[in-house]
Amino acid sequence: MKPAAQLTLGALAVALALAAGYFAGTRQTGHPAASPAADASPATAGTGTGGKKILYYRNPMGLPDTSPVPKKDSMGMDYIPVYEGEDAGPDDTGAVTVSPARLQTLGVRTALAEPRTLDEPVRAVGRVAINERRVVDVAPRFEGWIERLHVNASGDPVRRGQALFSVYSPELVSAGSELQIAERLQRDASSDPAAAASAQRLAEATRARVSNWQMKLPEGTKAGSGRLTFTSPANGIVMEKKAVEGMRFMPGDALFRIADLSTVWVLADVYERDLARVKPGQHATVTLDAFPGRSFDAAVAYLYPTLDAATRTTPIRLELANPDGLLRPGLFAHAEVDTGKATPVLTVPASALIDSGERQVVLVAQDEGRFLPKAVKVGRRGSDHIEILDGIAAGERVVVSANFLIDAESNLRTALASFTAGKDDAAATAKAYAAEGTLDAIDLSTNSASITHGEIPALKWPPMTMDFNLASPDVVKGVAPGSAIRFEFEERAPGEFAITRITPSTAAGHKGH
């Protein structure tokens, strides 16, 4: 090979070696917990950069798995260190400590649990209806013909005493003639008291008959023409008009229907679960889609005595003023009936409650960024606040935003605490065994060792080679693969054995105990 070629190949090899070294150094710098040095020095790994003691390492995916030393999961992700002060104490199960920077990132906000008068509205939907107490029909009680209409369109406003229509009726002609004859006889028979009294009785009977027709013929009137004008009996709006000029009407025909809309009703449907909270006289607020941004005051006037079996609702009647005529019958309405009690009760904002259906929890803010979940018993629910019957006291500060994120972290801490507590309890009651064998291999990345051991009568194991977990990397410190050893191990879970101690052995054979 030529010297130039040799020089080129040598330079390339040096460059590759430098690149490999730089890459390895970069990986070690980015993941110190996964480096061999970190694995081999648990004392160094047990202290964080801020000087806090590392208690253990938890699974990065939230699984209930912890490790006393740095390790990776099955996907190569580093386990996350849990520092002293971040774990939950015996009285603070599930407590979470959040750094100030993370609090700002999450946008955590808190509010005080405090007594307040709880507004407890019952919401219902309904429609605007005519006040039935203010509807009148104009229906003549005699037969006749309409000669002229003075109000000739539905929807026209009318005032009390305003002329509606003029009629001609033969019965009015007859009544008017009788009245005139009776008045004349009464005048002519002034010298005969009996005849005068008879004429007076005839006149009074005629006037009574006309009065029963709801008409008035004053004394001396000349009603022989049989023509009269009907007037409106009330203020209001013409809702129906059946009268037409020239038409014949019969006694009892309703020619006009007039409704006074200065007050209206709202008929709203209330679900049966809310019926016990609604009572006559309660204040209500009505809003309409036709007038967004506006609200109208109303009062509960009546609860109907029937229940719709199909919708499980009962209608209630709300009465409200309508001086401007904005509330038209038939408009869709939303009603909120104020059923709250005047006595203040302990409440928290509605957003502070985490309700899974099976449990109700609030997160109580403590000192130094600690948040403790507390189970509560809730009572009545208002529009913005919820009554708390038990679980927290007045003056405690609860989280009202980002609480679901903190609660998820709290649930993870609780699961880890219970998991590690179970492991500690199992370790305290675990059975210990001892055996002799040969240390075949050590794998600190998985915190395990492969050992060939002799028969272990206590477990009815024959001689074999198997893998054991290491209680700590210190167990294999100073012991080289291939060494004859005496080891002690525990069964910490069914089928899970961890070596707690290894010492060199000079025995020639591998005999278990």
Side-chain angles (χ1 to χ4, degrees):
M1 184 178 294
K2 295 182 180 181
Q6 293 178 352
L7 180 60
T8 303
L9 290 175
L12 180 60
V14 171
L16 290 175
L18 291 174
Y22 174 79
F23 179 73
T26 303
R27 288 180 59 87
Q28 291 180 1
T29 302
H31 304 280
S35 66
D39 290 341
S41 305
T44 304
T47 303
T49 55
K52 289 186 177 182
K53 181 181 178 182
I54 297 177
L55 301 177
Y56 56 89
Y57 295 80
R58 65 178 176 88
N59 189 286
M61 301 302 293
L63 299 177
D65 181 24
T66 61
S67 172
V69 295
K71 61 181 289 188
K72 293 179 178 291
D73 65 0
S74 58
M75 296 186 295
M77 299 176 63
D78 292 326
Y79 273 45
I80 300 172
V82 176
Y83 295 93
E84 185 177 20
E86 292 186 354
D87 62 324
D91 298 328
D92 294 340
T93 302
V96 178
T97 301
V98 182
S99 65
R102 192 179 178 195
L103 286 176
Q104 186 174 3
T105 302
L106 294 177
V108 176
R109 292 186 296 107
T110 60
L112 285 177
E114 56 186 353
R116 69 174 59 241
T117 301
L118 189 67
D119 58 337
E120 191 181 5
V122 170
R123 295 179 175 86
V125 295
R127 65 276 181 203
V128 178
I130 296 172
N131 185 342
E132 296 175 3
R133 296 191 178 94
R134 294 177 177 247
V135 179
V136 293
D137 279 343
V138 179
R141 298 184 179 185
F142 53 84
E143 180 185 356
W145 283 261
I146 297 176
E147 287 193 331
R148 183 182 177 187
L149 284 176
H150 301 287
V151 176
N152 45 11
S154 298
D156 284 353
V158 294
R159 307 292 298 175
R160 180 188 294 273
Q162 180 179 339
L164 296 178
F165 56 94
S166 299
V167 300
Y168 166 76
S169 173
E171 292 184 70
L172 286 178
V173 174
S174 175
S177 299
E178 290 179 7
L179 182 60
Q180 288 177 345
I181 292 173
E183 290 175 346
R184 187 174 64 250
L185 289 175
Q186 189 176 3
R187 288 193 302 268
D188 294 344
S190 57
S191 58
D192 187 353
S198 177
Q200 183 178 0
R201 287 195 297 270
L202 176 61
E204 290 176 353
T206 302
R207 288 191 179 94
R209 180 153 54 98
V210 174
S211 177
N212 289 336
W213 290 341
Q214 290 187 335
M215 305 302 296
K216 185 178 181 181
L217 294 176
E219 290 187 18
T221 185
K222 295 185 178 181
S225 63
R227 289 172 173 83
L228 285 176
T229 299
F230 275 77
T231 59
S232 173
N235 299 329
I237 304 295
V238 176
M239 305 304 296
E240 295 182 17
K241 182 193 77 72
K242 297 180 180 178
V244 180
E245 284 191 5
M247 72 173 285
R248 178 188 180 186
F249 59 87
M250 299 301 291
D253 287 348
L255 303 181
F256 281 83
R257 173 163 289 182
I258 299 171
D260 184 0
L261 299 182
S262 60
T263 62
V264 294
W265 291 350
V266 170
L267 302 180
D269 297 322
V270 174
Y271 287 102
E272 60 179 322
R273 67 171 181 267
D274 296 325
L275 285 177
R277 297 159 51 194
V278 180
K279 296 177 177 58
Q282 290 174 331
H283 176 266
T285 302
V286 175
T287 58
L288 299 100
D289 293 342
F291 306 103
R294 294 193 60 175
S295 60
F296 303 86
D297 292 329
V300 178
Y302 184 66
L303 275 72
Y304 286 83
T306 57
L307 179 77
D308 188 330
T311 61
R312 312 306 302 172
T313 59
T314 288
I316 64 171
R317 181 196 303 158
L318 308 177
E319 288 188 2
L320 60 162
N322 185 30
D324 300 328
L326 295 177
L327 306 179
R328 296 172 170 82
L331 286 177
F332 188 75
H334 303 269
E336 286 191 3
V337 182
D338 184 8
T339 62
K341 298 179 180 178
T343 305
V345 294
L346 179 63
T347 64
V348 298
S351 59
L353 183 69
I354 302 173
D355 191 347
S356 66
E358 297 181 354
R359 66 164 194 158
Q360 290 80 38
V361 173
V362 297
L363 291 172
V364 178
Q366 299 181 325
D367 296 335
E368 299 179 356
R370 286 176 62 85
F371 299 93
L372 179 64
K374 287 189 176 182
V376 295
K377 183 179 180 181
V378 301
R380 295 175 294 137
R381 296 174 184 254
S383 55
D384 298 318
H385 291 79
I386 297 176
E387 179 184 8
I388 301 298
L389 301 176
D390 188 25
I392 61 174
E396 291 190 273
R397 189 166 290 276
V398 297
V399 179
V400 297
S401 68
N403 45 1
F404 283 96
L405 297 175
I406 299 176
D407 183 56
E409 179 73 11
S410 172
N411 291 337
L412 176 61
R413 293 286 174 86
T414 303
L416 290 174
S418 62
F419 176 75
T420 54
K423 289 179 64 178
D424 293 341
D425 295 342
T429 59
K431 291 184 178 181
Y433 303 93
E436 294 184 352
T438 302
L439 179 62
D440 297 325
I442 301 172
D443 188 355
L444 291 179
S445 64
T446 60
N447 204 34
S448 63
S450 177
I451 296 177
T452 300
H453 62 79
E455 182 181 0
I456 304 179
L459 293 171
K460 298 181 181 180
W461 284 0
M464 60 180 169
T465 300
M466 61 180 294
D467 291 337
F468 289 85
N469 292 330
L470 299 177
S472 168
D474 291 339
V475 172
V476 295
K477 191 173 183 180
V479 182
S483 302
I485 59 171
R486 176 180 175 82
F487 62 99
E488 298 175 3
F489 61 97
E490 297 175 346
E491 185 178 11
R492 296 188 170 180
E496 180 182 337
F497 298 91
I499 297 177
T500 58
R501 184 181 181 189
I502 295 178
T503 57
S505 174
T506 57
H510 307 309
K511 186 178 296 185
H513 299 280

